[in-house]
Amino acid sequence: MEPRESPAGGMDDAEAVTRAFLTASRLLVAVSARSLAAVEERVTLPQFRMLMVLHTRGDTKLVALAEQLQVAPSTAMRMVDRLIAAGLADRQTNPANRRETLLSLTEEGRRIVEHVTARRRAEIAAIVARLEPGQRAALIEALTAFNEAGGEPPVSQVHPLGWPLTP
């Protein structure tokens, strides 16, 4: 396959795109870290990921939660126990099957997720606002293609604060 001319005038180069995304991912990690700074005494990054999964999926069984986070169920259980002790998550018996336990967020856990997500969204919006309109359009096109290639749901299926809606 012949290299294509890119809009910037250079050649289409997968390595250059990869480097650009690695740089952008460093920026996004920094934005995420700053957004967690206000709650870092209460929640670690892995715990916040768990809170996000509970927020997006709703009441969830431990095994499903562990699968979503790609951790062992025993690791997920220790994380859940810490979140419950902090008042951010809760467990209750599944009314449809009394042998199962469901995990969910407390109101305080939901507030933390919404606060951190709103801070992250505001910082990203400020960065995007510094781009020219043409750059924003190109970024939308590129990120949409990237998200589709990675299997992320399209924007139409996402909550205004930035997380996928529960099916």
Side-chain angles (χ1 to χ4, degrees):
M1 177 182 243
E2 292 271 327
R4 294 188 338 243
E5 187 75 18
S6 74
M11 298 307 280
D12 184 22
D13 180 9
E15 180 58 30
V17 172
T18 300
R19 283 192 311 268
F21 266 103
L22 287 171
T23 302
S25 72
R26 270 196 333 254
L27 173 61
L28 291 171
V29 167
V31 167
S32 294
R34 287 190 296 269
S35 68
L36 273 171
V39 297
E40 71 184 343
E41 290 182 13
R42 293 189 67 194
V43 180
T44 65
L45 181 57
Q47 290 170 336
F48 184 74
R49 282 185 61 224
M50 181 174 277
L51 292 175
M52 283 294 294
V53 169
L54 290 172
H55 194 280
T56 57
R57 294 181 61 117
D59 295 349
T60 305
K61 293 188 284 187
L62 179 68
V63 172
L65 185 60
E67 286 174 8
Q68 185 76 26
L69 296 171
Q70 298 180 336
V71 298
S74 60
T75 300
M77 180 58 83
R78 285 190 300 276
M79 291 171 67
V80 165
D81 288 342
R82 288 185 196 110
L83 291 173
I84 289 171
L88 304 176
D90 193 18
R91 69 169 59 97
Q92 63 274 345
T93 302
N94 183 348
N97 181 347
R98 298 192 50 76
R99 292 178 290 158
E100 292 179 346
T101 299
L102 295 176
L103 306 165
S104 61
L105 287 181
T106 63
E107 279 307 309
E108 180 63 15
R110 191 173 325 287
R111 276 192 294 276
I112 283 180
V113 168
E114 290 173 356
H115 173 75
V116 170
T117 304
R119 285 180 59 138
R120 184 179 319 160
R121 183 173 179 50
E123 190 167 344
I124 290 170
I127 293 167
V128 169
R130 292 192 291 264
L131 298 174
E132 296 295 324
Q135 292 174 313
R136 285 186 225 147
L139 188 58
I140 290 167
E141 184 178 337
L143 290 175
T144 299
F146 184 76
N147 292 336
E148 287 172 358
E152 278 299 307
V155 173
S156 62
Q157 298 176 10
V158 175
H159 184 280
L161 288 179
W163 49 80
L165 293 173
T166 307

